[in-house]
Structure formats: structure tokens, C-alpha cells
Amino acid sequence: MDIPRKSAKRMKMIRRGVIATVGLVVIAAVTVGLSRLEPAAPSVDRRTLWLDTVKRGSMLRQVRGVGTLVSEDILVVPALVSGRVTYIRVLPGAIVDANTVILELSNPDLERELLDATSQLNSAKARLSAQRTSLQDQLLGNEASLAQYQASCDEARLRAEVNQKQFEQDLIPELELTLSQTNAERAKRLLEINKRRFEMFEKETVPAQLAELQESVSQAESLCELKRRQIESLKVRAGTNGVLAQVKDKIEPGQQIAPGTVLARITNPSRLKAQLKIPEVQARDVLIGLLAEVDTYNGTVQGAVSRIDPTVIEGNVTVDITLNGALPKGARPDLSVTGTIEIERLEDALNVGRPVSASSEGVSELFKVVEEGKYAIRTRVRFGRVSVSTIEVLEGLDVGDEIILSDMSQWDGQDRLRLK
């Protein structure tokens, strides 16, 4: 009969305890080790990235903007009077001269007003003619009265002379002589007074009354001429040689037009300039006289900055570029163009292609390619002056470093990427 040994059971329990303890220690060690491991870097397809290498050398600073070609000679044709569009004779794009009728308006009220003005003119002329006749009659009457005063004066003078001789011969008394001399003096004074009255009437009264009526005639003539010009302006003419351009608000037949409405624009297609919209953050470096290049998408032409708008509209500054070279084929007003303005050339500057998130005089965090192109790590970089496609590097990168220029905002939570 077998007798069980108590020591064997005890040893078995000890072995199990040791094994369990070792297992727990191993599990704990593995857990701690795994917790200390860094997570695997996300993979990014290198072919989808835009990369560039930092270099040192000459860097041309430029700013770029989009815009249109506009004519330097633009004549705006407004409506001088109100009216309704009855006929459009010329469409945008047509070559016109000064007398070309662009469109016609109608306004029956103007014709009625012209008839009224003509009637007023005829009435004013009739009043002037009647007054001139009346004044001429008064002038003749005054002249006849003056002749009578002259005759009376001569008669009184002669009588006084006769009485003087008779008095010297003691033929008449002194009283009669004195009376005749007094009559002669009175007749002379009356003659002088009436002469002044005649001269005043002839030189002042007559011209003044005629001038007042003549002014009425002139006003009536001016009003009549104004109405004639207004009726003539219903036939809207170009006013100069050029090409008819499209207006902002298209004019349609039957449309009622108010005075001052722009009916047409006449442009000179041989003298064009470019108007570019430059972002306000870049426009601060633009100066008048800087060289520029304008791309019409069918050729380029050189130019220079001729005007900078002092105001900012929707975040852009309007810059005019005077074109110096021959215009490319197809260049015309309102053609969309892009322009590049040369700001300055930096010599011996550390520069790289402009990253999407980089700004002038700013700091950005970019991914720099390391370990022979296998990985990219986040790097803090300080930039300086900026151009259209390049930017100056001040700190954080060296010559030969390769960085990712693409938008990496989707990897904002990662400091390391694996490139495949």
C-alpha cells in the first residue's frame, strides 16, 4: 500500500506560485516596455508632396497680381436728356468716329418745349421791334421840339439885338430892351435844357430800353437753341474716334433713360495699360517706376508702374502698369492679364521656394526631410522678405536642407512623418 508524501504536494504548490509570479513579472515588464515605445510615424506618399531645397544666391523679389487691360483714352458718353431707347445702331466692338450715331432716343416733351421756346422767341422779337419803332417815333418828336426851341431862341436873340440898336438910337425905352434881353436868355436856357434832355433820351433812355428787350430776345434764343441741342442729343453720337466698348449696365431698346446715364464708352485700342490688383500686404513695397511684366496669355509685354491707388478695396491695391513694348496679338480692353512687378534683387541670400503657410517676416513650422529622404520632422523656421515663389530664410534651415512646401495642415498633430 502506497503512503502519500506531504512534501510533494507542498512542492507542487510552490512551483505553481513561482510560475505565476514570473508570469506576472514578465507581463508587467512587457507592458512597461510597450508603453515607452514611440508610435509609428504616419506614412505620406512622396509623389504627392511639393519639395524644395534651400540654396544661397541671388533672389529676385517680385509681387504678382491679376487684372485687366484698360484703354488710356476713354470717353464716356452720357445721356444729356431723358428719353426712351428706340433704336440701337452700333454694337460694342464696332469702330466709330466722332459723328457715328450709336443709338437714338425719343422724348415728345422736348418737341413741345421747343415749340414753346420758339413762340417765346418770336414774341420777344416782336416786342423789341415794336419798342424800337416807338422809341424812334419819340426820338423824332423830341428832335422836332428841339428845333422849335432853337427857332424861338434865335428869334429872341435877334429881337434883343434889334432892340439894342434901337435903344442906342433912343427909339425905345430901356425897359423894353431889358425885357427882350430877358426873353432871349430864357429861350437860350430852355434850348440848352432840351438839348440835354434830347441827348439823354438818345444816348441813355433808348439804348437802355432796347437793351432790356434785347436781353429778353437773347434769353429766348438761348432757350430755343438749348432745346434744339437737346433734341439733337436724342441721336447719341460717339464724339471721338475709337472702338465702342461695353458699358456696365447694358442698354436695351425700349428702356427709359435718365439724364446722366452712361450710354457708351469709346476706347482707344492702340493705347492700353494694365490695372493689377495687388494684395495690400505686398503692395507696401511697390513704388512708381518699378519694372513690370504683363502676361496676356498670348504673349508678354514689358512695362513700369505709373500709378498706385491710395485706397485699399477688398484687401487689394490697384496698380497701373504703363506698357512700353508692342502689344501681343489679341490685346484689347477688358482682357484678363497677370502682372509681375520687380521689387528688388537680393544678393547672397539664403532662400527656398515659398511654402503655403509662410509669410513675410514670420515664423512657421515646416517638415524638413531627414535620414536620406525616409522621414520628415517638424522644424521651426523664421523667414524674411518674400517674393512671388521664393522666400528668404533667416533661421532654422541651412543650405542643402530639403523641406516640404505643400499644405501639411492635416498633419498638425504629428512631429514626424514617414515618406514612401
Side-chain angles (χ1 to χ4, degrees):
M1 174 174 123
D2 294 332
I3 299 173
R5 292 181 295 178
K6 296 180 179 180
S7 59
K9 183 177 182 181
R10 184 172 178 272
M11 290 300 295
K12 187 176 181 179
M13 292 178 65
I14 292 174
R15 275 198 309 273
R16 288 178 179 176
V18 170
I19 292 173
T21 302
V22 172
L24 291 173
V25 171
V26 171
I27 292 173
V30 171
T31 302
V32 172
L34 291 176
S35 65
R36 293 183 177 179
L37 290 177
E38 295 183 358
S43 297
V44 181
D45 190 349
R46 186 185 182 97
R47 292 172 298 179
T48 64
L49 301 177
W50 177 27
L51 298 96
D52 194 24
T53 303
V54 180
K55 52 189 174 294
R56 182 178 292 278
S58 177
M59 172 183 163
L60 179 61
R61 289 190 63 209
Q62 299 173 317
V63 295
R64 179 174 296 167
V66 297
T68 57
L69 293 181
V70 298
S71 176
E72 292 197 27
D73 301 326
I74 300 178
L75 176 65
V76 176
V77 183
L80 299 180
V81 295
S82 62
R84 189 173 300 277
V85 179
T86 58
Y87 191 69
I88 297 178
R89 293 186 173 274
V90 182
L91 296 177
I95 298 176
V96 297
D97 58 33
N99 293 319
T100 301
V101 177
I102 301 173
L103 54 86
E104 295 182 9
L105 305 175
S106 64
N107 189 333
D109 292 338
L110 281 180
E111 297 180 1
R112 177 180 54 79
E113 291 174 3
L114 176 59
L115 292 177
D116 293 342
T118 303
S119 177
Q120 293 176 14
L121 175 60
N122 293 334
S123 297
K125 288 182 176 179
R127 288 193 299 272
L128 175 62
S129 178
Q131 184 67 10
R132 181 180 288 113
T133 302
S134 175
L135 291 174
Q136 186 67 27
D137 181 67
Q138 295 181 44
L139 189 64
L140 291 175
N142 292 338
E143 189 173 359
S145 297
L146 183 63
Q148 291 179 356
Y149 282 110
Q150 181 68 51
S152 298
C153 180
D154 292 341
E155 183 180 354
R157 178 177 56 80
L158 290 175
R159 184 175 295 278
E161 291 177 356
V162 170
N163 288 342
Q164 176 67 35
K165 291 180 180 180
Q166 290 180 346
F167 174 75
E168 291 175 355
Q169 297 173 1
D170 295 328
L171 298 177
I172 59 174
E174 182 179 0
L175 179 60
E176 187 175 349
L177 174 62
T178 302
L179 181 60
S180 63
Q181 289 177 343
T182 301
N183 290 335
E185 289 294 330
R186 183 175 67 252
K188 182 178 180 182
R189 287 197 297 273
L190 287 175
L191 177 62
E192 292 175 352
I193 292 173
N194 281 275
K195 281 185 177 180
R196 291 198 297 271
R197 288 180 61 189
F198 179 80
E199 291 177 357
M200 183 177 68
F201 182 79
E202 181 182 31
K203 297 180 179 179
E204 297 181 14
T205 303
V206 171
Q209 293 186 13
L210 291 178
E212 181 180 0
L213 292 176
Q214 184 62 51
E215 181 64 24
S216 299
V217 172
S218 298
Q219 291 180 358
E221 287 177 342
S222 299
L223 180 60
C224 197
E225 180 62 25
L226 174 63
K227 297 304 176 182
R228 289 195 187 97
R229 289 199 303 267
Q230 288 178 340
I231 290 180
E232 179 64 24
S233 69
L234 293 175
K235 292 184 177 181
V236 181
R237 302 180 186 274
T240 187
N241 298 339
V243 175
L244 182 63
Q246 183 69 54
V247 295
K248 182 178 180 181
D249 298 323
K250 188 177 180 181
I251 306 299
E252 298 286 352
Q255 180 178 347
Q256 182 66 34
I257 300 299
T261 302
V262 176
L263 301 177
R265 291 191 305 126
I266 312 300
T267 63
N268 184 353
S270 62
R271 296 187 69 242
L272 300 177
K273 65 180 179 181
Q275 280 191 343
L276 304 179
K277 305 296 183 182
I278 306 297
E280 58 179 319
V281 295
Q282 301 178 20
R284 63 185 181 183
D285 296 325
V286 178
L287 300 174
I288 292 178
L290 291 178
L291 298 180
E293 183 180 72
V294 176
D295 186 358
T296 66
Y297 304 105
N298 194 34
T300 60
V301 59
Q302 303 299 315
V305 177
S306 59
R307 187 186 72 90
I308 303 173
D309 198 309
T311 59
V312 178
I313 301 176
E314 297 180 353
N316 295 312
V317 175
T318 301
V319 177
D320 287 358
I321 307 296
T322 299
L323 305 180
N324 300 326
L327 295 175
K329 186 178 180 180
R332 64 189 65 187
D334 299 326
L335 179 70
S336 297
V337 298
T338 59
T340 304
I341 302 174
E342 297 184 6
I343 303 300
E344 62 177 333
R345 183 178 294 275
L346 305 178
E347 302 296 340
D348 194 31
L350 192 65
N351 64 90
V352 70
R354 184 177 178 180
V356 173
S357 59
S359 60
S360 176
E361 309 294 339
V363 177
S364 299
E365 290 188 348
L366 307 174
F367 281 97
K368 181 173 69 173
V369 179
V370 296
E371 298 183 23
E372 298 180 355
K374 295 180 180 180
Y375 293 93
I377 60 174
R378 188 178 296 276
T379 304
R380 185 179 178 85
V381 181
R382 187 164 69 91
F383 293 109
R385 289 163 288 187
V386 68
S387 184
V388 174
S389 58
T390 58
I391 192 169
E392 183 184 19
V393 178
L394 299 180
E395 293 180 2
L397 296 174
D398 294 320
V399 175
D401 287 344
E402 190 175 21
I403 64 171
I404 299 176
L405 307 181
S406 307
D407 182 11
M408 304 296 287
S409 57
Q410 60 178 320
W411 308 108
D412 284 346
Q414 303 294 329
D415 292 331
R416 184 181 177 88
L417 300 175
R418 182 174 178 271
L419 305 180
K420 62 178 181 178

